[in-house]
Amino acid sequence: MASKTDTTPTRVAFRLRVKPEMLDEYMRRHSPVWPEMLQEIAASGRRNYSIFHLGGGELVGFYESDDDAASQAYLAQSEIAAKWEAEMAPFFVAQDGRADQNAETFPEVFHLESQLRAAHTD
């Protein structure tokens, strides 16, 4: 995770599990996502946001943010995000609370650009 004096964005990887019998509908609802929800995600400061299907309903996602705590707080108070997450909640397996607030996250192990900068290599 980036420090407050570091200009490198925080990169967040997360995992969610969709009930396999609901996967087709979950994917349909993401193609496209509500325009107002897309705007809220962007307004929260998240960018380079992707979700990938690994198979069997397992999803892994990724986004970048300059201030992930502020992004989380913004989405937590957003009526649009609350409505979207309420609509998505029935799709998830073993998810306590809103997925945008409580998804399982993972520590970053390697990032090419960070290591190149640290090595002073282009």
Side-chain angles (χ1 to χ4, degrees):
M1 188 173 285
S3 71
K4 292 188 185 299
T5 59
D6 190 347
T7 59
T8 302
T10 299
R11 290 172 296 280
V12 177
F14 62 91
R15 176 172 51 194
L16 296 165
R17 290 179 183 88
V18 171
K19 296 171 185 169
E21 68 275 12
M22 298 182 79
L23 182 60
D24 289 343
E25 180 63 14
Y26 177 87
M27 292 183 133
R28 186 189 68 72
R29 292 196 190 186
H30 282 76
S31 185
V33 168
W34 303 340
E36 61 271 25
M37 185 60 196
L38 297 173
Q39 291 300 317
E40 283 295 86
I41 293 168
S44 80
R46 291 182 180 181
R47 62 187 176 278
N48 199 19
Y49 196 140
S50 296
I51 299 174
F52 303 90
H53 180 227
L54 301 179
E58 187 165 4
L59 306 171
V60 65
F62 171 85
Y63 64 86
E64 296 174 330
S65 176
D66 292 329
D67 185 341
D68 194 43
S71 174
Q72 291 276 32
Y74 180 92
L75 292 171
Q77 62 80 36
S78 166
E79 290 180 24
I80 294 166
K83 184 177 175 187
W84 173 262
E85 293 300 334
E87 294 253 341
M88 294 296 103
F91 290 90
F92 297 116
V93 174
Q95 182 65 45
D96 293 327
R98 287 174 42 173
D100 70 330
Q101 301 292 306
N102 297 309
E104 179 182 12
T105 60
F106 303 96
E108 184 174 58
V109 175
F110 170 79
H111 182 244
L112 176 63
E113 287 80 5
S114 296
Q115 289 196 19
L116 285 172
R117 275 193 306 275
H120 305 287
T121 306
D122 290 355

